[in-house]
Amino acid sequence: MVRRFLIALILSFCVTSSQSNQPDFNRLVKDVFPPPPDMPSLDECICVPYYQCSLNKTIIEDGDSIIDVKAKPECERPLDVCCWKTVSRNPPQTPLPPPNYPPPDTPDPPTRGDPSGGQQWRGCGFRNENGVAVRVKNDDDGDTLFGEFPWMTAILREEEMGVMVYQCGGSLIHPQVVLTAAHCVFRRDPKNLVVRAGEWDTQKQSELLTHQQKGVQKIIVHKDFYSGGLYNDIALVVVNEPFYLAENINTICLPYQSTIFNDQYCVATGWGKDKYDNGGEYQTILKKVDLPMVPHQVCEEELKRTRLGAKFKLHHSFICAGGQAGKDTCKGDGGSPLVCQIPGTRDRYQQVGIVAWGIGCSTTVPGVYVNVAGFRDWVNLQMNNLNLNALSYTF
């Protein structure tokens, strides 16, 4: 309707102007109907599969909408999508209660040992290679031993009727702080989440040492997190009171800023699917898988051979591991830790990665992980803001 009016206006203007000075008719038309923005010529375009081309007709180089995020999907049916509920424009703001942090002069972490009080805290990153107390189950099929990885945590979401649903994995870096992937907790209401430490078999309550469960006080997502390509996919989850450190609950060490890990076999853990397709099942007992680290450039070249295309660029916030058929992390493992042995030690580990995304699972294409060493300074800053120190993850 507006365009018709403008056309009529131009015509009437032309009629009246024919009897006076000649107007700049071309300028008037350009003002009403501006030319389209400059576009590259056809000689500059490259033919790529439709899913590698964005809505603005530029090649997708970061994997946005192409990568397979390894978090548990919000919807089980493949054609369903998670859609935000309609909310009021000015929802009421309910302030959180003040955090119950230990005072600044309290030694942190506390030197607490097992529940019997017979052993003091040894430090971060100690793996119980033979399990805790008894060898509950053999590990021939990838099962971990009870308490083998004491830093492993499960982030759960509380739904209606108090039902707890597994959301993501995480790792304990402080008695009150869990490290996880940002895509696991982004835009989540802390009041609906809980963290469980000391978990092993999710279907049993009669384990040797009981797990501990805490409510979530605060979620800290990296300010530069990009949900499309999962850049800077890191977050901290602060629970409302510290976990009691025990034989089956301990912190993991973190590497120093910018440490590089190549030519090393590491271990990933999680309760995620054993297969990528609909036939895969989520695990009840915590699983582990040994994976070789893959250099950044080698990984980028491997990813270019997939549906990501030859123009794909692997962001510097990622590292890679795996690339061996049948051995990988998968859906539901998102946020879980990838740990490597600390050089010069036998049973002490540092977390080098956080499960992020991949192209399918268990193929010859490496999996992609958050580069934890690239965020050590960021973690230290957040811990300082929380009035907590870094001793709990420093070796």
Side-chain angles (χ1 to χ4, degrees):
M1 182 64 70
V2 173
R3 181 158 290 202
R4 290 180 181 176
F5 171 76
L6 292 173
I7 293 173
L9 181 64
I10 291 173
L11 292 175
S12 63
F13 184 77
C14 292
V15 172
T16 57
S17 64
S18 63
Q19 301 171 359
S20 59
N21 295 331
Q22 183 68 28
D24 187 352
F25 180 70
N26 291 334
R27 180 180 59 80
L28 179 61
V29 172
K30 287 181 180 180
D31 289 342
V32 177
F33 303 105
D38 293 337
M39 296 291 289
S41 69
L42 289 178
D43 293 334
E44 299 179 43
C45 75
I46 300 174
C47 293
V48 298
Y50 69 91
Y51 50 80
Q52 292 178 13
C53 194
S54 66
L55 293 177
N56 64 0
K57 296 298 183 181
T58 59
I59 295 176
I60 298 173
E61 297 181 344
D62 58 9
D64 188 355
S65 73
I66 304 176
I67 60 178
D68 296 323
V69 182
K70 291 189 175 180
K72 185 177 180 181
E74 299 292 339
C75 307
E76 293 298 330
R77 295 187 300 184
L79 296 181
D80 287 353
V81 295
C82 188
C83 192
W84 297 106
K85 298 177 181 177
T86 301
V87 295
S88 59
R89 292 188 178 274
N90 297 299
Q93 299 295 318
T94 303
L96 292 173
N100 182 25
Y101 300 137
D105 57 349
T106 300
D108 186 28
T111 54
R112 299 182 234 182
D114 58 63
S116 65
Q119 178 187 359
Q120 288 190 330
W121 185 72
R122 294 189 296 167
C124 62
F126 284 98
R127 174 183 178 181
N128 299 314
E129 292 195 25
N130 296 317
V132 172
V134 293
R135 192 176 177 87
V136 180
K137 184 177 175 64
N138 68 61
D139 55 358
D140 292 339
D141 56 356
D143 286 346
T144 62
L145 301 176
F146 176 74
E148 183 177 358
F149 298 93
W151 49 80
M152 186 71 198
T153 64
I155 299 175
L156 310 176
R157 183 179 72 252
E158 185 173 3
E159 296 192 338
E160 295 180 0
M161 307 298 292
V163 176
M164 292 295 179
V165 178
Y166 177 75
Q167 180 75 19
C168 258
S171 55
L172 196 66
I173 65 170
H174 180 279
Q176 203 168 349
V177 181
V178 169
L179 179 68
T180 189
H183 73 259
C184 292
V185 293
F186 184 55
R187 292 181 175 173
R188 290 288 179 189
D189 186 344
K191 298 190 293 294
N192 296 332
L193 297 179
V194 298
V195 176
R196 188 174 290 179
E199 182 64 280
W200 180 64
D201 186 338
T202 60
Q203 302 300 309
K204 292 185 178 180
Q205 300 293 327
S206 58
E207 294 168 358
L208 182 66
L209 298 174
T210 59
H211 63 255
Q212 299 175 35
Q213 186 165 295
K214 307 293 182 182
V216 173
Q217 174 74 52
K218 185 177 184 180
I219 296 171
I220 304 172
V221 173
H222 195 285
K223 66 180 180 63
D224 294 326
F225 169 60
Y226 168 50
S227 59
L230 296 192
Y231 298 169
N232 307 304
D233 187 19
I234 190 169
L236 300 179
V237 176
V238 184
V239 294
N240 53 21
E241 61 179 351
F243 286 103
Y244 181 83
L245 301 183
E247 285 185 278
N248 64 327
I249 301 176
N250 194 16
T251 59
I252 183 64
C253 304
L254 297 186
Y256 293 97
Q257 183 71 25
S258 303
T259 306
I260 297 175
F261 299 90
N262 288 330
D263 303 321
Q264 189 172 357
Y265 265 80
C266 302
V267 186
T269 50
W271 287 279
K273 280 191 171 186
D274 53 0
K275 295 179 183 178
Y276 176 71
D277 57 22
N278 292 334
E281 295 181 352
Y282 291 99
Q283 306 302 296
T284 58
I285 292 179
L286 183 65
K287 297 286 186 178
K288 64 183 176 184
V289 59
D290 296 331
L291 300 169
M293 299 300 297
V294 179
H296 195 274
Q297 186 61 41
V298 174
C299 183
E300 182 176 271
E301 292 302 317
E302 289 294 326
L303 291 168
K304 285 181 178 180
R305 296 187 181 96
T306 69
R307 64 175 182 263
L308 293 171
K311 297 296 183 180
F312 174 74
K313 297 177 182 178
L314 184 63
H315 195 258
H316 61 79
S317 65
F318 296 124
I319 57 174
C320 299
Q324 298 178 338
K327 301 181 69 175
D328 199 3
T329 51
C330 203
K331 282 190 175 181
D333 287 323
S336 298
L338 173 70
V339 300
C340 297
Q341 197 167 356
I342 296 175
T345 70
R346 181 181 176 277
D347 59 353
R348 202 173 187 190
Y349 289 75
Q350 57 186 325
Q351 182 174 349
V352 304
I354 304 171
V355 178
W357 60 272
I359 300 297
C361 302
S362 301
T363 68
T364 56
V365 180
V368 182
Y369 299 76
V370 180
N371 180 14
V372 174
F375 294 97
R376 171 65 185 260
D377 289 346
W378 178 83
V379 172
N380 288 348
L381 176 62
Q382 307 313 312
M383 294 293 284
N384 184 66
N385 292 340
L386 293 169
N387 213 13
L388 303 173
N389 65 48
L391 293 178
S392 57
Y393 52 83
T394 301
F395 60 94

